[in-house]
Amino acid sequence: MNVGRGLLARTLCVVALALALAGCGFHLRGQAELPPALGRTFFINQAGAGPVARALKQALSANGVTLVDNRNQATAVLTVLSVGTSQRALTVSVLNQATSYALTTTLRFSAAAIDGSWKLPPQTLSVERQYSLSTTQLQSQGAEVDLLTRSSARELANLALLRLQAQAGRP
């Protein structure tokens, strides 16, 4: 008899948890609902090679966009206008040495359908990462900056997809 009550109690807990998760709006992020015109996109990178452009290309491909090499085959054009990175000291020790930094990465891009049905004017997105550094960790600074740069690039790519997704509902 106690086994039946325990099983019933566990079942009710699982059902309650499932209902709570369903009711709170939590859901896994699927593919972005990008404008159909982005299906075959010509990617112009005026900023040169770098982690942000690579991350943006990967994010587009992962969301069903085919990147084409010929503008004549494209249904849309996405242009990376610029990518910038800056670093500034946030705090300084009593010995006047920086102990924490802010690394800011900025992406400026635009997109448009070839047929003129929609246009996303130039957008500017920025991501800032902060990190601390002691004088004993100077050799690890480069590795930490590289890691933060790649993380910022992925976040900027996702933010760009969200901007493009928001454009899907507007002409």
Side-chain angles (χ1 to χ4, degrees):
M1 203 64 153
N2 284 338
V3 173
R5 286 185 192 159
L7 181 59
L8 179 62
R10 282 191 295 253
T11 303
L12 288 175
C13 285
V14 169
V15 169
L17 180 62
L19 288 173
L21 283 176
C24 77
F26 173 79
H27 61 281
L28 294 174
R29 184 173 182 256
Q31 284 192 327
E33 294 179 24
L34 298 173
L38 279 173
R40 299 180 53 79
T41 297
F42 183 64
F43 188 89
I44 300 172
N45 184 6
Q46 296 177 349
V52 174
R54 277 192 305 277
L56 187 52
K57 282 182 173 183
Q58 289 171 348
L60 288 166
S61 294
N63 282 277
V65 174
T66 301
L67 298 174
V68 296
D69 295 328
N70 186 337
R71 189 181 191 121
N72 294 332
Q73 299 171 338
T75 55
V77 175
L78 189 142
T79 306
V80 174
L81 301 167
S82 64
V83 175
T85 303
S86 64
Q87 181 175 313
R88 62 182 165 76
L90 292 176
T91 58
V92 180
S93 72
V94 294
L95 300 173
N96 202 26
Q97 295 176 331
T99 56
S100 67
Y101 296 89
L103 181 68
T104 304
T105 307
T106 303
L107 166 66
R108 186 167 157 73
F109 74 100
S110 64
I114 295 289
D115 66 6
S117 61
W118 65 267
K119 181 178 181 179
L120 185 66
Q123 305 286 303
T124 302
L125 304 169
S126 290
V127 172
E128 182 175 279
R129 298 282 191 263
Q130 299 176 6
Y131 66 100
S132 298
L133 188 68
S134 71
T135 55
T136 60
Q137 297 173 317
L138 291 177
Q139 289 183 335
S140 67
Q141 181 178 10
E144 181 141 8
V145 169
D146 288 344
L147 181 68
L148 294 173
T149 299
R150 287 192 306 272
S151 169
S152 295
R154 285 189 302 271
E155 185 173 346
L156 284 169
N158 287 331
L159 290 171
L161 286 184
L162 289 173
R163 292 280 174 100
L164 290 166
Q165 184 175 341
Q167 184 63 29
R170 293 183 275 165

